[in-house]
């Protein structure tokens, strides 16, 4: 087995690290460690919401709806993702939050992968 290969299942691996599958927070040497990009498999029950807004965003993000109904809250505008494959992209300096209007699964890709945005548990 090559140490630079990882095979997994998003549904099983995501709960182990708050949904995150790839990014700076994975151990160095793990093929899922990256400072270039972060990938999250987010499974959210109806009514789930980010506990606080992200402010001073220094990353670009892509959020894709896999299932459910999911609202991304942006300054002066909310985007509702309602059909599988709906997505939204936002960039540097765009504050944001989110709310699961229905039980939802979303795939989030952010770049670069930098520390400092996790809400304390």
């Amino acid at each position: 087995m090559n140490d630079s290969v990882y095979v997994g299942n998003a549904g099983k691996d995501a709960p182990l690290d708050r949904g995150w599958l790839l990014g700076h927070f994975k151990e160095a040497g793990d093929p899922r460690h990256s400072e270039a990009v972060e990938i999250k498999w987010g499974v959210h029950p109806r009514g789930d919401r980010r506990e606080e807004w992200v402010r001073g965003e220094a990353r670009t993000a892509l959020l894709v709806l896999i299932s459910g109904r999911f609202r991304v809250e942006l300054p002066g505008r909310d985007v509702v993702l309602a059909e599988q494959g709906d997505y939204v992209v936002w960039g540097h300096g765009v504050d944001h939050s989110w709310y699961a209007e229905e039980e939802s699964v979303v795939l989030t890709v952010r770049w670069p992968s930098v520390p400092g945005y996790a809400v304390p548990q």
Side-chain angles (χ1 to χ4, degrees), residues 11 14 18 30 51 81 87 99:
R18 295 171 53 166
D30 184 324
E51 292 186 29
L81 308 176
Y87 68 93
Y99 177 76

Side-chain angles (χ1 to χ4, degrees), residues 29-98:
D30 184 324
R32 299 168 297 163
H33 176 85
S34 173
E35 294 181 13
V37 66
E38 301 172 347
I39 299 177
K40 181 177 186 178
W41 183 260
V43 178
H44 303 279
R46 176 189 298 259
D48 195 18
R49 110 169 7 264
R50 193 169 202 293
E51 292 186 29
E52 58 187 54
W53 275 63
V54 172
R55 307 238 183 246
E57 179 64 80
R59 305 161 297 183
T60 299
L62 161 72
L63 188 143
V64 181
L65 181 70
I66 306 299
S67 64
R69 185 176 172 93
F70 199 80
R71 183 174 68 228
V72 177
E73 301 167 334
L74 304 165
R77 175 180 184 185
D78 286 356
V79 176
V80 176
L81 308 176
E83 294 183 31
Q84 185 178 55
D86 284 354
Y87 68 93
V88 60
V89 177
W90 64 92
H92 298 268
V94 178
D95 297 342
H96 67 279
S97 193
W98 51 259

